[in-house]
Amino acid sequence: MSDTTSTDLAVRTAGLTKRYGTLLAVNDMSLAVPTGSIFGLIGPNGAGKSTTFAMLASLLRPSSGELSVMGVDPAHDRDELRRRLGYMPDTLGVYDNLRVVEYLEFFAASYRVPRHRWSALIADLLELVELSVKRDSMVNSLSRGMKQRLSLARALVHDPDLLVLDEPASGLDPRARVELRDLLRGLNAMGKTIIISSHILAELEEVCSHVAIMEAGRLLASGPPREILDRLGGSRTMRVRFADGLVETFTVDSGADQAHLLRRLVIDEGRDVVEYVEESGGLEQLFLTVTQGVVQ
Amino acid sequence: MRLTVNPVLAREVKERMRGLWTFVVLMVFLGLLTLTVWVAHAATRSYDPFSFDLERQTRLGRDLFEWVLTIMIVLVMFFVPGLTAGAVAGERERQTLLPLQITLLKPRHILWGKVMASLAFLTLLEVASLPVLAVAYRLGGVTVADLVAGLAAVLVVGVLLATMIVGISSFAKRVQTATLLAYGFTMVVAVGSFVVAGVASVVDSNRGFDPSDPPAALLLPNPIVFAAVATAGENIDSGDGPLQALRQLVRDTHRANGGWWLGDGEVADGFDPNGGFVFVDDDGFLVDSPGPTTSAALMSFGSLAALAVALFALGCRRLRTPAETER
């Protein structure tokens, strides 16, 4: 864990454990989520991601360990936490007999947002999630992707500092996933810290500044993807395009080797390099390197 | 201080009024009440168009009122479990419970909103049934106070039952399970006190002669008994309405036992020259001949309210977060 102060960290856990009888759903997890980051929590089914999120959101009580979310202990100062945290679970439950605007008004009331602010707030939220045209539609008439966006709007209704999103891209078509990615970048640019879990590693790779990898309840690695890869000694693929149009790929073992390769091509071999980029799939490669395929 | 409407109440009322089920229930409710009035009136009217018996007519009005009240209570006890069983179980099934629990609403706000939504619906049913009750009022034998007491009794029964079932719903994972539990519980509440009192009476009579009888208070934790004693009115001894039989049972049991709890079995303390027996309670106070219906109503309400509060509190505890296990 990096040496950061508590104000630099949106979430800090130390030895966080959740036990169900003999099953350790989360086992001795020590995590640090920097404020202002988009933090991806990666892991197979049953890794403990949703359980971790439920503890962060003060829905589940940890069996042991320390947990601090924006400087607040979820078990003792639940209301303060909920004012500052927006949670989107991995389920899409909505109230079918409500209109979109009524759905958001209900949650605005539930979060004690002053009534005189509702109109402008909901208009802004619907514009943000691109559901303005569906303002007066019944919620049960929305597509899955629209319901996901509405669920995100619900999590934003009280303007939280931290967003915890459990599988927000699940079941979305490619266009909807791209739109969600852009939305998350926009929210992060507003200053919100985002913790997101997903199975779609390529999606996380596009948006996440930091990742944590879980398997069988244990945290295996945490930090910026590049740093984790360097720490683990994982190889990466570099794509090089030369001035004559030729494109070649090279495999390097570390960040240092990346620099050596470039020096070798440009100085030693005198080749005219116009593009030198690392190919996508780094997060997938990282995941496969770190995990063992254990499911509990 | 500005009053705010419970968001759950506002949402539930909105959703309920948009559903077809609400109007079906309203139609069935009014239809059955109207049928009750028609049948009761047809069964008791005089076939001589030239005779007018005021006493008979007022008794008819009173009986009609009691029949309508009884049917209202039975219908409330039939519809309320179905309408409130899914209060929390439905949220779980729809997967809307987690987003609700993560807000600033406390469990008691969530459950209270659902109870109040039931109260709102019951009020709608009662207001809609006023024209039916007006028939009995028009015939006579029923005062405005009787009408208010009757409607209040039905409302109290409905709200207490809804409170109990909302608490029960907090423990069910599925609406189907919650509905079964709700109707099972309602059956127990509706007949349980009679069964317990009956068993106690059988056991007591098999023990041979002893001065004490089973406590009359055993009959009181029952919503139908509550409605009967709460709507006793002034003409307690008159009429053949269905609630009158219950009042008679409560009164006779109370007298036979010499009180609500374990008494000494004295039946009467003296003879009133003006007619009838004179009764004195355990504290030596003269008991009115109609029987202590006020204390019966209070005790009945108290026992039902205690049960409702207990189940409500258990339901709140069930929804409390952070929880030990996923709920």
Side-chain angles (χ1 to χ4, degrees), chain A residues 18 20 51 57-61 74-75 78-79 82-83 87 89 91-99 102 106-107 109-112 138 154, chain B residues 2 5 7-8 11 14-16 18-19 91 94-107 109 320-327:
Chain A
K18 182 63 186 174
Y20 295 111
T51 304
S58 73
L59 289 169
L60 267 186
R61 187 184 300 278
R78 193 185 49 205
D79 282 2
R82 289 178 181 179
R83 283 189 195 95
Y87 175 59
T91 54
L92 264 189
V94 289
Y95 299 106
D96 287 339
N97 274 339
L98 289 184
R99 295 196 163 81
E102 291 167 339
F106 167 66
F107 280 99
S110 300
Y111 277 106
R112 299 194 193 129
M138 300 303 282
R154 174 192 50 74
Chain B
R2 190 175 175 173
V5 177
V8 174
R11 193 207 75 223
K14 211 173 277 187
E15 284 193 287
R16 194 167 279 185
R18 287 178 182 163
E91 298 266 6
R94 272 195 308 255
Q95 297 173 335
T96 51
L97 185 59
L98 280 184
L100 194 54
Q101 285 183 295
I102 200 70
T103 65
L104 293 175
L105 294 176
K106 304 242 182 315
H109 297 144
R320 203 168 55 183
T321 54
E324 289 301 327
T325 58
E326 290 174 37
R327 299 288 173 86

Side-chain angles (χ1 to χ4, degrees), chain A residues 23-278:
Chain A
L23 175 68
L24 277 172
V26 175
N27 188 0
D28 192 28
M29 175 189 265
S30 294
L31 188 69
V33 177
T35 303
S37 65
I38 301 182
F39 195 98
L41 190 59
I42 308 169
N45 288 329
K49 305 187 298 296
S50 294
T51 304
T52 302
F53 278 11
M55 286 192 282
L56 295 185
S58 73
L59 289 169
L60 267 186
R61 187 184 300 278
S63 300
S64 62
E66 292 171 18
L67 172 58
S68 172
V69 182
M70 290 173 294
V72 173
D73 182 349
H76 295 119
D77 208 348
R78 193 185 49 205
D79 282 2
E80 176 59 26
L81 171 67
R82 289 178 181 179
R83 283 189 195 95
R84 301 177 60 192
L85 179 143
Y87 175 59
M88 184 176 156
D90 61 349
T91 54
L92 264 189
V94 289
Y95 299 106
D96 287 339
N97 274 339
L98 289 184
R99 295 196 163 81
V100 167
V101 61
E102 291 167 339
Y103 179 82
L104 292 176
E105 282 176 351
F106 167 66
F107 280 99
S110 300
Y111 277 106
R112 299 194 193 129
V113 175
R115 197 181 187 92
H116 66 270
R117 288 182 46 206
W118 287 5
S119 182
L121 169 68
I122 289 170
D124 288 343
L125 279 175
L126 289 177
E127 194 179 325
L128 182 68
V129 299
E130 296 180 14
L131 284 178
S132 298
V133 293
K134 293 290 185 179
R135 184 182 187 279
D136 293 314
S137 301
M138 300 303 282
V139 172
N140 60 3
S141 71
L142 301 182
S143 67
R144 185 188 173 90
M146 289 178 183
K147 283 183 184 174
Q148 293 273 54
R149 280 185 273 156
L150 179 63
S151 191
L152 183 58
R154 174 192 50 74
L156 289 166
V157 80
H158 54 302
D159 194 22
D161 299 319
L162 172 66
L163 281 173
V164 177
L165 312 176
D166 197 349
E167 306 271 357
S170 171
L172 296 186
D173 60 52
R175 174 178 288 278
R177 279 195 245 126
V178 169
E179 289 169 353
L180 177 67
R181 220 162 50 209
D182 292 339
L183 185 53
L184 293 180
R185 284 201 197 100
L187 290 169
N188 185 240
M190 289 181 199
K192 297 189 190 304
T193 306
I194 301 173
I195 306 176
I196 176 174
S197 75
S198 180
H199 291 117
I200 307 169
L201 302 181
E203 296 293 319
L204 290 185
E205 193 163 26
E206 293 283 332
V207 293
C208 290
S209 57
H210 297 71
V211 296
I213 301 175
M214 286 185 75
E215 186 177 47
R218 285 199 165 275
L219 182 68
L220 301 179
S222 176
R226 183 67 57 83
E227 278 183 25
I228 299 174
L229 211 51
D230 282 345
R231 237 185 292 145
L232 295 172
S235 59
R236 61 199 74 180
T237 305
M238 305 307 298
R239 189 178 78 241
V240 187
R241 187 159 61 88
F242 299 97
D244 59 3
L246 184 67
V247 176
E248 291 183 34
T249 57
F250 300 87
T251 300
V252 297
D253 291 330
S254 67
D257 286 346
Q258 266 183 304
H260 289 147
L261 173 63
L262 185 60
R263 192 182 308 121
R264 175 166 67 84
L265 290 172
V266 173
I267 298 175
D268 297 346
E269 296 179 11
R271 298 177 77 174
D272 201 355
V273 174
V274 296
E275 187 178 67
Y276 184 75
V277 293
E278 183 177 338

Side-chain angles (χ1 to χ4, degrees), chain B residues 113-125:
Chain B
K114 291 181 182 289
V115 171
M116 287 295 102
S118 295
L119 171 63
F121 185 64
L122 285 169
T123 305
L124 170 67
L125 290 179

